[in-house]
């Protein structure tokens, strides 16, 4: 699916379905955040928005917003809205997490930092497909070794789709999509009394930010998109690109583990570490251990190479399987608490933004191709998602990125990103044309704008957000020797939070 879907032809046609800024401007009543959020520095408020923007007077839902006020109101220039990705990621605490990771005092003075749980997520009219714990672990399909296993995945996908269509949230799910979340963002802007917003989006948040900048171009100030999805968001192409990203990124872990063979015993050379990946996957396919089969082992490895700081956790997991020990207690992603609404929202967005192929034969061909091209993960990420049997057609055409609008987008991208590989970022860069500049960083992992990673990439983001200085042309940042330096305890805690959040998808 490479832009073969119907698209909206003009920005005017897109914004016509949005509620005018003057129609909804309720006062926000800032107070304590929900009880499950332990963050005294944050203030929270609720905002009512239309469930269906084509019927603004109809059913309303609630969106929960957070604020970390400017540290120096005399220097405040506006608001900076954050989205941590997903889709389905909870965002209320993300501004505070970024501040704790090391955002400079100049940026903390420049903006009120605004977070929000997108519609459907946790504190914002949460939705649920009533999925069982084992289903929550298999939203990303199992690794298919043959056509019969693709057929089996289709059966599981149909069951999940049926549960969503018969759940208590069924009437809401068709309206949980990226375009409506972007319209919610504009209602947040209006409720804050701002004529424009600045924005920082990570991962899926780059697509959400791109959609906002396409729907409401004149209401954007300084926009940063970090770790960039392709211009069609999470469609079947993006799903298959996860396998490409793992092949790009895994060599970094293989080199790291080989240097530490005396500690972990995973292989004395990168080639030996790579060979042991396939041996462990085969071993767990035959003899699942501690809740892990080969598919879950592949998925866990993929999620734990998102952040270099998680390499020790991954090495310990491998070490346990190699020595027939039980894996660490925190090895499996959580299937309790807010994850139900997060996964349901993810499905609603991914399946509701685009129409996915319905024929099993399409996925069988894709799996055969990607299993050969990207053997580490391709047999899973090309397999059948619940979107292949989704009960609802997209409620509107997907938003198309174009070069029409203000030139105020800064894209930052690692060369070896396991989730949003460089190929997708380059497609988005091309789609935005002169509206954007891109900083490409010789670094592995998911995320650029953290101060303990690559200073060149991080400084490019801060210089733009604080001073408005964006590179005149696209820029390349070379590798830095301190890219794997030891983190402070607070930075490690934040890195672990980001890693665990990403592991849920």
């Amino acid at each position: 699916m490479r832009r073969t879907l119907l698209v909206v032809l003009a920005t005017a046609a897109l914004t016509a379905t949005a509620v005018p800024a003057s129609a909804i401007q309720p006062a926000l009543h800032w107070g304590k955040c929900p009880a499950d959020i332990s963050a005294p520095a944050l203030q929270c408020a609720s905002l009512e928005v239309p469930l269906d923007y084509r019927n603004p007077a109809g059913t309303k839902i609630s969106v929960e917003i957070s604020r970390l006020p400017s540290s120096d109101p005399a220097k405040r220039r506006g608001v900076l809205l954050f989205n941590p990705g997903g889709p389905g990621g909870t965002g209320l605490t993300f501004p505070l997490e970024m501040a704790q990771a090391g955002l400079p005092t100049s940026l903390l003075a420049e903006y009120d930092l605004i977070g929000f749980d997108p519609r459907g997520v946790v504190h914002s009219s949460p939705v649920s497909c009533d999925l069982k714990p084992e289903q929550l672990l298999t939203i990303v399909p199992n690794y298919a070794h043959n056509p019969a296993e693709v057929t089996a995945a289709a059966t599981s996908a149909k069951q999940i789709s049926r549960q969503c269509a018969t759940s208590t949230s069924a009437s809401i799910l068709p309206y949980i999509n990226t375009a409506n979340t972007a319209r919610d963002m504009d209602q947040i802007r209006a409720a804050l009394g701002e004529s424009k917003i600045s924005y920082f989006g990570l991962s899926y948040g780059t697509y959400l930010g791109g959609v906002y900048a396409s729907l409401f171009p004149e209401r954007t100030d300084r926009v940063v998109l970090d770790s960039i999805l392709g211009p069609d968001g999470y469609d079947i192409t993006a799903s298959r690109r996860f396998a490409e990203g793992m092949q790009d990124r895994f060599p970094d872990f293989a080199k790291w583990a080989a240097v530490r063979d005396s500690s972990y015993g995973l292989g004395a050379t990168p080639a030996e570490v790579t060979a042991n990946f396939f041996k462990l996957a085969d071993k767990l396919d035959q003899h699942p251990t501690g809740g892990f089969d080969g598919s879950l082992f592949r998925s866990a490895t993929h999620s734990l190479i998102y952040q270099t700081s998680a390499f020790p956790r991954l090495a310990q997991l491998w070490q346990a399987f190699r020595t027939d020990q039980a894996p660490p207690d925190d090895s499996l992603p959580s299937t309790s608490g807010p994850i139900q609404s997060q996964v349901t929202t993810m499905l609603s967005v991914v399946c509701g933004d685009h129409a996915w192929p319905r024929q099993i034969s399409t996925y069988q061909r894709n799996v055969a191709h990607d299993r050969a091209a990207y053997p580490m993960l391709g047999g899973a990420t090309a397999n059948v998602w619940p979107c292949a049997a989704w009960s609802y057609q997209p409620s509107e055409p997907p938003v198309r990125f174009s070069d029409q609008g203000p030139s105020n987008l800064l894209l930052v991208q690692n060369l070896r990103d396991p989730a949003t590989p460089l190929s997708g970022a380059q497609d988005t860069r091309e789609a935005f044309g002169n509206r954007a500049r891109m900083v490409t960083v010789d670094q592995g992992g998911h995320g650029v704008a953290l101060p303990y990673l690559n200073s060149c990439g991080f400084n490019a983001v801060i210089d733009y957000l604080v001073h408005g200085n964006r590179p005149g042309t696209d820029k390349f940042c070379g590798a830095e020797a301190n890219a794997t330096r030891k983190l402070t305890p607070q930075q490690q805690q934040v890195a672990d939070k980001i890693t665990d959040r990403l592991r849920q998808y």
Side-chain angles (χ1 to χ4, degrees), residues 443-477:
Q443 176 176 271
H446 193 49
V448 174
L450 292 170
Y452 48 79
L453 298 175
N454 182 285
S455 61
C456 172
F458 176 74
N459 290 338
V461 170
I462 299 304
D463 198 29
Y464 181 48
L465 289 176
V466 174
H467 304 294
N469 297 328
R470 192 183 65 159
T473 60
D474 290 353
K475 178 179 179 179
F476 181 79
C477 290

Coordinates of all heavy atoms in Angstrom, one line a residue, residues 443-477:
Q443 N 23.4 7.0 14.4 CA 23.1 6.4 15.7 C 22.1 5.3 15.5 O 21.3 5.4 14.6 CB 22.6 7.5 16.6 CG 22.2 7.1 18.0 CD 21.8 8.3 18.8 OE1 22.6 8.9 19.4 NE2 20.5 8.7 18.7
G444 N 22.1 4.4 16.4 CA 21.1 3.4 16.5 C 20.1 3.6 17.6 O 20.4 4.3 18.6
G445 N 18.9 3.1 17.4 CA 17.8 3.3 18.5 C 16.7 4.1 18.0 O 16.7 4.7 16.9
H446 N 15.7 4.2 18.9 CA 14.4 4.8 18.6 C 14.4 6.1 19.4 O 14.1 6.0 20.6 CB 13.3 3.9 18.9 CG 11.9 4.4 18.3 ND1 11.8 4.8 17.0 CD2 10.7 4.5 18.9 CE1 10.5 5.1 16.8 NE2 9.8 4.9 18.0
G447 N 14.6 7.2 18.8 CA 14.6 8.5 19.5 C 15.9 9.2 19.4 O 16.9 8.6 19.5
V448 N 15.8 10.5 19.0 CA 17.0 11.4 18.9 C 17.1 12.4 20.0 O 18.2 12.6 20.5 CB 17.0 12.1 17.5 CG1 18.1 13.1 17.4 CG2 17.0 11.1 16.3
A449 N 16.0 13.0 20.3 CA 16.0 14.2 21.2 C 16.1 13.9 22.7 O 15.3 14.4 23.5 CB 14.8 15.1 20.9
L450 N 17.1 13.1 23.1 CA 17.4 12.9 24.5 C 18.8 13.3 24.7 O 19.7 13.0 23.9 CB 17.2 11.4 24.9 CG 15.7 10.9 24.9 CD1 15.7 9.4 25.0 CD2 14.9 11.6 26.0
P451 N 19.1 14.1 25.7 CA 20.4 14.7 25.9 C 21.6 13.8 26.1 O 22.7 14.1 25.8 CB 20.3 15.6 27.1 CG 19.1 15.0 27.9 CD 18.2 14.4 26.8
Y452 N 21.3 12.5 26.5 CA 22.4 11.6 26.7 C 22.7 10.7 25.5 O 23.5 9.8 25.6 CB 22.1 10.7 27.9 CG 20.7 10.0 27.9 CD1 20.4 8.9 27.1 CD2 19.7 10.6 28.7 CE1 19.2 8.4 27.1 CE2 18.4 10.0 28.7 CZ 18.2 8.9 27.9 OH 16.9 8.3 27.9
L453 N 22.1 11.0 24.3 CA 22.4 10.3 23.1 C 23.4 11.0 22.3 O 24.5 11.1 22.6 CB 21.1 10.0 22.4 CG 20.1 9.1 23.2 CD1 18.7 9.0 22.4 CD2 20.6 7.8 23.5
N454 N 23.0 11.6 21.2 CA 23.9 12.3 20.3 C 23.7 13.8 20.5 O 22.6 14.4 20.2 CB 23.5 11.9 18.8 CG 24.5 12.6 17.8 OD1 24.3 13.8 17.5 ND2 25.4 11.8 17.3
S455 N 24.7 14.5 20.9 CA 24.5 16.0 21.3 C 24.2 16.8 20.0 O 23.5 17.8 20.1 CB 25.8 16.5 21.9 OG 26.9 16.4 21.1
C456 N 24.7 16.4 18.9 CA 24.5 17.2 17.6 C 23.0 17.1 17.3 O 22.4 18.2 17.1 CB 25.3 16.6 16.5 SG 24.9 17.3 14.9
G457 N 22.4 15.9 17.4 CA 20.9 15.8 17.1 C 20.1 16.5 18.1 O 19.1 17.2 17.8
F458 N 20.5 16.3 19.4 CA 19.7 16.9 20.5 C 19.8 18.4 20.4 O 18.8 19.1 20.5 CB 20.3 16.4 21.8 CG 19.6 17.1 23.0 CD1 18.4 16.7 23.4 CD2 20.3 18.0 23.8 CE1 17.8 17.3 24.5 CE2 19.7 18.6 24.9 CZ 18.5 18.3 25.3
N459 N 21.0 19.0 20.2 CA 21.1 20.4 20.1 C 20.4 21.1 18.9 O 19.9 22.2 19.0 CB 22.6 20.8 20.0 CG 23.3 20.5 21.4 OD1 22.7 20.4 22.4 ND2 24.6 20.3 21.3
A460 N 20.3 20.3 17.8 CA 19.5 20.8 16.7 C 18.0 21.0 17.1 O 17.4 22.0 16.7 CB 19.6 19.9 15.5
V461 N 17.5 20.1 17.9 CA 16.1 20.2 18.3 C 16.0 21.4 19.3 O 15.0 22.2 19.1 CB 15.7 18.9 19.0 CG1 14.3 19.1 19.7 CG2 15.6 17.8 18.0
I462 N 16.8 21.5 20.3 CA 16.7 22.5 21.3 C 16.9 23.9 20.6 O 16.2 24.9 21.0 CB 17.7 22.3 22.4 CG1 17.4 21.0 23.1 CG2 17.7 23.4 23.4 CD1 16.0 20.8 23.6
D463 N 17.9 24.0 19.7 CA 18.2 25.3 19.1 C 16.9 25.8 18.3 O 16.7 27.0 18.3 CB 19.4 25.2 18.2 CG 20.0 26.5 17.8 OD1 19.9 27.5 18.7 OD2 20.6 26.7 16.7
Y464 N 16.2 24.9 17.7 CA 15.0 25.3 17.0 C 13.9 25.6 17.9 O 13.3 26.7 17.8 CB 14.6 24.1 16.1 CG 13.4 24.5 15.2 CD1 13.3 25.7 14.6 CD2 12.3 23.6 15.1 CE1 12.2 26.0 13.8 CE2 11.2 23.9 14.4 CZ 11.1 25.1 13.7 OH 10.0 25.5 13.0
L465 N 13.6 24.8 18.9 CA 12.5 25.1 19.8 C 12.7 26.3 20.7 O 11.8 27.1 20.9 CB 12.2 23.9 20.7 CG 11.7 22.6 20.1 CD1 11.6 21.5 21.1 CD2 10.3 22.9 19.5
V466 N 13.9 26.6 21.1 CA 14.2 27.7 22.0 C 14.5 29.0 21.2 O 13.9 30.1 21.5 CB 15.4 27.4 22.9 CG1 15.7 28.6 23.7 CG2 15.0 26.2 23.8
H467 N 15.3 28.9 20.1 CA 15.7 30.1 19.4 C 15.1 30.2 18.0 O 15.3 31.3 17.4 CB 17.3 30.1 19.3 CG 18.0 30.0 20.6 ND1 17.9 31.0 21.6 CD2 18.7 29.0 21.2 CE1 18.6 30.6 22.7 NE2 19.1 29.4 22.4
G468 N 14.4 29.2 17.6 CA 13.9 29.3 16.2 C 14.9 29.1 15.1 O 14.6 29.4 13.9
N469 N 16.1 28.6 15.5 CA 17.1 28.4 14.5 C 17.0 27.0 13.9 O 17.4 26.0 14.6 CB 18.5 28.5 15.1 CG 18.7 29.9 15.6 OD1 18.2 30.9 15.1 ND2 19.5 30.1 16.7
R470 N 16.5 26.9 12.7 CA 16.4 25.6 12.0 C 17.5 25.5 10.9 O 17.7 26.5 10.2 CB 15.0 25.5 11.4 CG 14.6 24.1 10.9 CD 13.3 24.0 10.3 NE 13.2 24.9 9.1 CZ 12.3 24.7 8.1 NH1 11.4 23.8 8.2 NH2 12.4 25.5 7.1
P471 N 18.1 24.4 10.6 CA 19.1 24.3 9.6 C 18.5 24.8 8.2 O 17.4 24.5 7.9 CB 19.5 22.8 9.5 CG 19.1 22.3 10.9 CD 18.0 23.1 11.3
G472 N 19.4 25.5 7.5 CA 18.9 26.0 6.2 C 18.7 24.9 5.2 O 18.0 25.0 4.2
T473 N 19.5 23.8 5.4 CA 19.4 22.7 4.5 C 19.4 21.4 5.4 O 19.7 21.5 6.6 CB 20.6 22.6 3.5 OG1 21.8 22.5 4.2 CG2 20.6 23.8 2.6
D474 N 19.1 20.3 4.8 CA 19.2 19.0 5.6 C 20.6 18.9 6.1 O 21.6 19.3 5.5 CB 18.8 17.9 4.7 CG 17.3 17.8 4.4 OD1 16.6 18.7 4.9 OD2 16.9 17.0 3.6
K475 N 20.7 18.2 7.3 CA 22.0 18.1 8.0 C 22.3 16.7 8.4 O 21.4 15.9 8.7 CB 21.9 19.0 9.3 CG 23.1 19.0 10.2 CD 22.9 20.0 11.3 CE 24.1 20.0 12.3 NZ 23.9 21.0 13.4
F476 N 23.6 16.3 8.5 CA 24.0 15.0 9.0 C 24.8 15.2 10.3 O 25.7 16.0 10.3 CB 24.8 14.3 7.9 CG 25.2 12.9 8.3 CD1 24.4 11.9 8.3 CD2 26.5 12.7 8.8 CE1 24.8 10.6 8.7 CE2 27.0 11.5 9.2 CZ 26.1 10.4 9.1
C477 N 24.5 14.4 11.3 CA 25.3 14.4 12.5 C 26.0 13.1 12.6 O 25.4 12.0 12.5 CB 24.3 14.5 13.7 SG 23.6 16.1 14.0

